[in-house]
Each structure stands twice: as C-alpha cells, then as structure tokens.
Amino acid sequence: MEITLDKFKPKITRPFKRKNEYWVKLIDESGEYIMKFKSPLEAEDAIYGLLDLQVYGGKVKLKLREGNVIEDIQVIELYKPSAKELLEEYFTD
C-alpha cells in the first residue's frame, strides 16, 4: 500500500531490538510507522538521514506493508524555511 503524507514531521525513536531486528518508530499526527533494520548501525544511519525531515517536515510517499511497516520512503519535498523566516519565527515567539 502506498500513501502520500503532506505535512510529515515525525518524532523518531532510538533504535530498539525486537525479534533479532532493530526497529525505529516514526511517530506523527497521522500515525505510528516502523522501520526495521538488521544492525544498529543501519538504524542509526537511517535516523541521521531523516534528520532534516524530523526538523523541518515535508511531503513524503510511504510504501507500507501490514502493521504500518515502511518498506520504502521517498521524500518528495522538504519544507525548509529560509533564514529570514526562521529569524522572524524566533523573534515573534
């Protein structure tokens, strides 16, 4: 099953071991998704690779299988604000 999420800004958990695999959860308003890896190093690499998405958010296409397990994630657009927008947001809050 493929779904497209427009405002995907997940909170990403640290890798945890389950059934001889390392799982990482991506938690968003739209739900909870799981990525599975064979080693903790692969899981850590994925977390660092998703850092921009975690900070800024974006539009993604997820290919899911049963249990909301992500088989493939494709970042279509990253909502990275300009420096001016970041400064305005910082000084108005």
Side-chain angles (χ1 to χ4, degrees):
M1 174 172 88
E2 277 190 17
I3 61 170
T4 302
L5 301 171
D6 283 331
K7 296 180 180 176
F8 190 63
K9 189 175 180 180
K11 293 181 175 128
I12 301 174
T13 65
R14 292 189 342 213
F16 58 94
K17 190 171 184 175
R18 186 153 185 190
K19 299 180 184 176
N20 294 328
E21 297 174 319
Y22 292 87
W23 290 18
V24 174
K25 284 188 180 181
L26 283 69
I27 304 166
D28 187 55
E29 300 168 348
S30 61
E32 211 172 271
Y33 306 96
I34 299 168
M35 295 176 77
K36 296 181 180 182
F37 302 95
K38 293 181 181 174
S39 73
L41 187 58
E42 289 177 349
E44 290 289 337
D45 284 347
I47 290 171
Y48 289 120
L50 294 171
L51 190 58
D52 281 345
L53 188 62
Q54 185 178 1
V55 172
Y56 302 115
K59 183 175 184 178
V60 297
K61 183 186 277 187
L62 299 176
K63 190 174 187 182
L64 301 173
R65 61 178 177 197
E66 192 174 323
N68 279 352
V69 177
I70 298 174
E71 287 183 344
D72 186 38
I73 184 168
Q74 178 183 3
V75 178
I76 298 169
E77 183 181 353
L78 192 62
Y79 301 142
K80 199 167 187 178
S82 68
K84 182 180 178 183
E85 291 171 333
L86 287 173
L87 286 173
E88 286 174 359
E89 181 181 319
Y90 177 76
F91 285 115
T92 57
D93 287 344

